[in-house]
Amino acid sequence: MELTRLKKQLTTAARGHKLLKDKQDELMRQFILLIRKNNELRQTVEKEIQQAMNDFVRAKSVIEESFIDELFALPAEDVTLTVVEKNVMSVKVPIMSFHYEGREKPLEYGYLHSNAELDRSIDRFTQLLPMLLKLSEVEKTCQLMAEEIEKTRRRVNALEYMTIPQLEETIYYIKMKLEENERAEVTRLIKVKNMGATQ
């Protein structure tokens, strides 16, 4: 009975190991694709931020600082951030989106104190917001998937190097014991038969 139970347990453990290994491989494949996407997006965002900052620094060198302080003192529109969870290989990853309420442009100001560099800088920063949101979404997804890969790897290793070998060893030991008992029983029966034949 114990041998039958252990054999069933071993079959279940082997099936579980295969499923977890498949899950780990698929997670790794998706993780690598996400890392590539993350690197490309990060490079684009960093390049855009650098250009926007360069424009802003040039604008600031010409425009009076008090005007720039007033310009950024109050937000010109409300921004709502919506986060929805999506299930990817049993990992809950965030899907984020912006919703603007208010004016068409995030900042409205008179052109009297402005210059082309400031306009370009503000436009670039405005266009950067969705990209920054996408980057944070991808980076968070990468982080969550890395944690899930690590958990899955630990489970796979526990099954592969501990649970399955222990079950196999116990099954082997029980089989050896049963065979030994069977041989002892056969030997005993032969002796009994021989004793009966000599009498």
Side-chain angles (χ1 to χ4, degrees):
M1 281 172 69
E2 182 66 12
L3 183 63
T4 307
R5 189 185 68 79
L6 286 170
K7 278 182 177 178
K8 281 181 185 172
Q9 210 173 326
L10 179 62
T11 307
T12 306
R15 195 180 301 129
H17 176 266
K18 187 189 179 309
L19 288 170
L20 281 171
K21 193 87 174 92
D22 290 348
K23 179 186 175 181
Q24 183 184 7
D25 293 345
E26 182 57 23
L27 277 169
M28 279 302 294
R29 188 187 70 78
Q30 288 190 21
F31 182 71
I32 289 165
L33 291 173
L34 266 172
I35 288 292
R36 285 186 188 140
K37 183 179 178 181
N38 184 57
N39 287 342
E40 287 168 13
L41 196 55
R42 179 170 275 283
Q43 285 173 0
T44 306
V45 166
E46 284 176 358
K47 188 179 170 187
E48 287 295 320
I49 286 176
Q50 192 173 9
Q51 287 174 344
M53 284 305 293
N54 287 343
D55 286 337
F56 185 74
V57 168
R58 280 196 292 273
K60 196 176 174 186
S61 65
V62 178
I63 299 172
E64 195 178 317
E65 199 167 324
S66 61
F67 170 72
I68 293 174
D69 290 344
E70 284 174 24
L71 186 65
F72 293 103
L74 294 170
E77 66 177 282
D78 294 326
V79 179
T80 308
L81 175 66
T82 310
V83 182
V84 181
E85 283 187 342
K86 178 183 168 190
N87 197 328
V88 178
M89 299 289 295
S90 75
V91 182
K92 289 181 179 175
V93 298
I95 304 294
M96 303 178 192
S97 61
F98 273 132
H99 178 67
Y100 293 102
E101 294 165 12
R103 305 170 188 163
E104 287 178 24
K105 289 186 175 182
L107 291 171
E108 288 185 2
Y109 52 92
Y111 295 107
L112 181 63
H113 301 291
S114 177
N115 62 17
E117 283 81 12
L118 183 64
D119 297 342
R120 201 166 41 243
S121 174
I122 289 171
D123 283 344
R124 278 199 168 124
F125 279 121
T126 305
Q127 288 165 12
L128 260 172
L129 287 174
M131 288 170 72
L132 279 168
L133 185 70
K134 187 67 184 169
L135 180 63
S136 57
E137 178 187 301
V138 170
E139 286 194 347
K140 186 63 180 173
T141 302
C142 286
Q143 180 194 340
L144 292 168
M145 287 188 86
E147 288 169 7
E148 187 64 25
I149 288 168
E150 184 56 31
K151 274 192 234 170
T152 307
R153 188 186 63 77
R154 280 200 299 269
R155 286 184 197 141
V156 166
N157 287 346
L159 283 168
E160 193 172 332
Y161 299 110
M162 287 175 66
T163 309
I164 291 174
Q166 284 171 1
L167 285 168
E168 287 173 340
E169 193 180 319
T170 309
I171 287 168
Y172 177 77
Y173 176 77
I174 290 172
K175 278 184 177 176
M176 297 279 51
K177 269 294 188 194
L178 288 172
E179 285 173 14
E180 190 182 309
N181 288 350
E182 201 175 306
R183 282 194 297 274
E185 185 64 24
V186 169
T187 307
R188 193 179 64 75
L189 286 171
I190 290 171
K191 280 184 181 175
V192 169
K193 189 177 178 185
N194 286 345
M195 281 171 62
T198 53
Q199 288 177 359

